[in-house]
Amino acid sequence: MDRFQLYIDGQFRDGAATFQSLDPATGTPWAEMPEAREAEVNAAVTAAHRAFRSGPWPKLTATARGKLLMKLADLVQAAAPRLAALETRDTGKIIRETSAQIAYVADYFRYYAGLADKIEGAHLPIDKPDMEVWTRREPVGVVAAIVPWNSQLFLSAVKIGPALAAGCTVVLKASEDGPAPMLEFARLVHEAGFPAGVFNVITGFGPTCGAVLTRHPLVDHIAFTGGPETARAVVRGSAENLASTSLELGGKSPFIVFDDADLDSAANAQVSGIFAATGQSCVAGSRLLVQSSVKDAFLAKLKAKAEAIRIAAPDEMTTEVGPLCTLRQRDRIERLVAESLTAGARLVTGGQTPEGAGFYYPPTILDCSSVPDAASVTQELFGPVLSVVAFETEDEALEIANATQYGLASGVFTASLTRAHRMIRGLRAGVVWVNTYRAVSPIAPFGGSGLSGHGREGGLAAALDYTTVKTVWLRTSDAPIPDPFVMR
Ligand code: NAD
């Protein structure tokens, strides 16, 4: 079996114990992973704290930090085939997707490399004659970055890039499910020449690793991606150290199709929106709201496309849907689909777990128009299951779309420009895609509200989130300070 190590303070080392990683395509163990517990978490945070306060990192100019990030981007690009293969092996995400996503990972590092020396403070036109006042944007400190299993390289890059560009140091906790690509990524950080302790990778379990990290007294900011229940535990942990938090959580995103839409184009976008990444995507367009007059025609197109999807081993280039990452995840999906069918949902396609090894589940469509409060409509399944609800009017579409505590992504398909604008205004979501779905870029902010979390990743604002403002007052008068009892 392959063996991986933690990366702490510039060194590769074993954890307190090991655990086995399963290959989701076969369900069999393929690698020994290092498990970080309290001692390893403490070593990583202490190293990050020391690297933040002393040594070469705080003395580097922002431009020099940017150059290191640029080198890292080049190394990621060069190692793309290896990283993609590891992510596919350890998480079951199909190789077509992991290969394409690594190119994005390099792009994110390049974007933040370029941004490092553009994080500026401001000179203030202060209302006092003998003062110069300005603000400095300083790095917030030690960042604990915690990621879930899906797209770990990507979800880590959107945290590591801006954090390092801003001058922070990072302890990244990879998910216990599929950590291999992150442990391998540490080799590239090492090769790029970042000073010891600036970036550390650990992995382990929630209670014994993640929770210890979130309440550690030397952690200043927690950048978390995962589910809402875990986010609550993270926020409770941060009550100990009062670290700031940014939370990228789940979604139950509406994908809205009006009767004037290009139905073929919308059907392709819907397939990508729910079946890409085998549905294990926070932005999955998992609620299809379709105008009644085109419901049958649209569902017929979707059914044909879903049934033509090639389900096979994730390391084959022609595979379109691979296994889910864990058996636990498949069990949960099976249960929620069964509950929805019992409640009265109609099975359009899928819904049958295939025989054989691996954690496969087929693309599934449930028509829930008669049971709009079924479990599959209201809960995030994080799998290839689409729940359909029909609507009559634009107002009704908005009402159904917003009837959720989540607020991450949304999609609108219509030929009407004016309607598109009304929907953009009315949708409670951090992202609105119009006549497209699942587009991302390092330049565009991304995030949600409500149960989908708070804070934004991507764009300039994300780099600013890793800074704190220092206000500087400098008196320009040589005259003695007058009355000490008057605030001026
Ligand atoms: P999860 O919440 O179970 O785990 C996420 C991470 O938190 C893992 O590394 C886990 O070990 C760690 N963790 C668990 N308990 C912890 C604790 N008490 N303290 C600190 N850390 C702890 O999430 P998951 O099931 O791995 O991933 C699926 C979820 O992630 C879904 O809800 C999905 O929507 C969400 N997600 C969101 C985005 C986004 O950008 N908004 C992207 C991808 C996934």
Side-chain angles (χ1 to χ4, degrees):
M1 271 205 284
D2 289 34
R3 282 192 74 243
F4 290 82
Q5 289 187 299
L6 308 171
Y7 181 62
I8 298 175
D9 205 7
Q11 296 188 328
F12 293 91
R13 48 175 276 191
D14 291 335
T18 58
F19 62 97
Q20 291 184 336
S21 221
L22 303 186
D23 179 342
T26 60
T28 53
W30 77 278
E32 292 272 346
M33 297 298 171
E35 183 190 338
R37 294 186 190 157
E38 187 152 3
E40 291 74 24
V41 174
N42 195 35
V45 177
T46 306
H49 180 70
R50 195 210 61 243
F52 181 70
R53 291 285 175 93
S54 56
W57 184 246
K59 296 195 189 83
L60 282 187
T61 62
T63 308
R65 290 199 303 270
K67 282 184 179 161
L68 277 173
L69 275 170
M70 198 61 92
K71 192 163 172 194
L72 179 60
D74 291 343
L75 289 169
V76 167
Q77 191 170 349
R82 190 166 84 243
L83 292 172
L86 274 177
E87 188 160 22
T88 292
R89 182 84 198 265
D90 213 14
T91 67
K93 192 176 168 87
I94 63 172
I95 192 76
R96 259 163 86 173
E97 288 175 344
T98 53
S99 306
Q101 209 170 38
I102 309 266
Y104 274 121
V105 169
D107 281 350
Y108 271 79
F109 283 122
R110 287 203 181 93
Y111 176 78
Y112 284 108
L115 211 56
D117 55 9
K118 289 153 200 87
I119 300 171
E120 298 171 350
H123 184 266
L124 307 184
I126 204 73
D127 56 345
K128 300 176 197 308
D130 57 353
M131 293 283 185
E132 285 292 328
V133 180
W134 67 95
T135 56
R136 291 165 52 83
R137 283 272 176 185
E138 299 193 344
V140 74
V142 174
V143 173
I146 302 179
V147 290
W149 80 75
N150 62 312
S151 311
Q152 287 200 57
L153 280 162
F154 179 72
L155 295 172
S156 300
V158 298
K159 297 171 175 55
I160 301 165
L164 295 181
C168 296
T169 57
V170 176
V171 176
L172 180 103
K173 187 218 165 285
S175 173
E176 61 273 41
D177 298 316
M182 294 320 304
L183 299 168
E184 180 68 16
F185 169 80
R187 301 199 171 279
L188 307 179
V189 176
H190 192 76
E191 197 181 332
F194 284 86
V198 168
F199 179 75
N200 309 271
V201 184
I202 56 176
T203 186
F205 298 93
T208 46
C209 177
V212 180
L213 181 59
T214 54
R215 58 172 183 255
H216 197 289
L218 297 179
V219 165
D220 299 291
H221 179 81
I222 305 165
F224 173 77
T225 299
E229 207 39 56
T230 317
R232 290 190 180 100
V234 167
V235 172
R236 278 194 290 274
S238 74
E240 297 294 320
N241 53 20
L242 296 179
S244 52
T245 55
S246 51
L247 306 173
E248 293 289 348
L249 312 178
K252 196 70 209 178
S253 302
F255 185 106
I256 307 166
V257 178
F258 286 97
D259 58 7
D260 59 354
D262 174 341
L263 294 188
D264 287 318
S265 180
N268 267 344
Q270 175 67 88
V271 165
S272 142
I274 186 62
F275 300 134
T278 314
Q280 301 162 108
S281 163
C282 56
V283 296
S286 54
R287 282 190 299 150
L288 165 61
L289 314 188
V290 60
Q291 202 151 19
S292 294
S293 48
V294 290
K295 180 181 139 188
D296 289 346
F298 193 62
L299 283 195
K301 286 182 194 294
L302 279 184
K303 179 172 156 55
K305 284 182 189 290
E307 288 173 358
I309 284 173
R310 180 162 191 265
I311 308 165
D315 60 353
E316 291 173 24
M317 254 314 177
T318 50
T319 297
E320 294 169 329
V321 162
L324 294 156
C325 182
T326 64
L327 188 57
R328 179 179 86 243
Q329 177 65 4
R330 186 174 74 179
D331 289 348
R332 182 170 173 274
I333 292 168
E334 283 173 342
R335 180 171 53 77
L336 291 172
V337 168
E339 270 179 34
S340 307
L341 290 171
T342 306
R346 183 177 68 85
L347 187 66
V348 177
T349 188
Q352 280 294 319
T353 299
E355 299 281 318
F359 311 145
Y360 291 90
Y361 192 81
T364 297
I365 302 176
L366 301 175
D367 184 354
C368 302
S369 297
S370 62
V371 277
D373 55 356
S376 73
V377 183
T378 56
Q379 297 188 39
E380 184 186 43
L381 270 68
F382 220 56
V385 180
L386 177 66
S387 301
V388 184
V389 178
F391 69 86
E392 300 292 338
T393 65
E394 195 179 302
D395 284 348
E396 200 189 346
L398 259 184
E399 197 183 311
I400 302 171
N402 289 338
T404 171
Q405 282 185 283
Y406 287 107
L408 191 56
S410 56
V412 180
F413 279 75
T414 178
S416 161
L417 186 63
T418 50
R419 170 186 278 156
H421 277 284
R422 290 192 295 274
M423 295 300 289
I424 292 164
R425 255 187 248 139
L427 282 165
R428 278 190 54 253
V431 181
V432 183
W433 284 299
V434 180
N435 293 331
T436 183
Y437 204 81
R438 258 180 132 239
V440 288
S441 160
I443 301 162
F446 173 84
S449 60
L451 272 194
S452 297
H454 56 75
R456 292 292 178 268
E457 292 187 326
L460 173 60
L464 298 183
D465 272 359
Y466 291 95
T467 67
T468 180
V469 173
K470 181 180 277 175
T471 308
V472 186
W473 292 77
L474 189 150
R475 187 164 174 256
T476 55
S477 167
D478 292 328
I481 290 185
D483 189 347
F485 297 102
V486 174
M487 196 172 157
R488 43 195 70 249

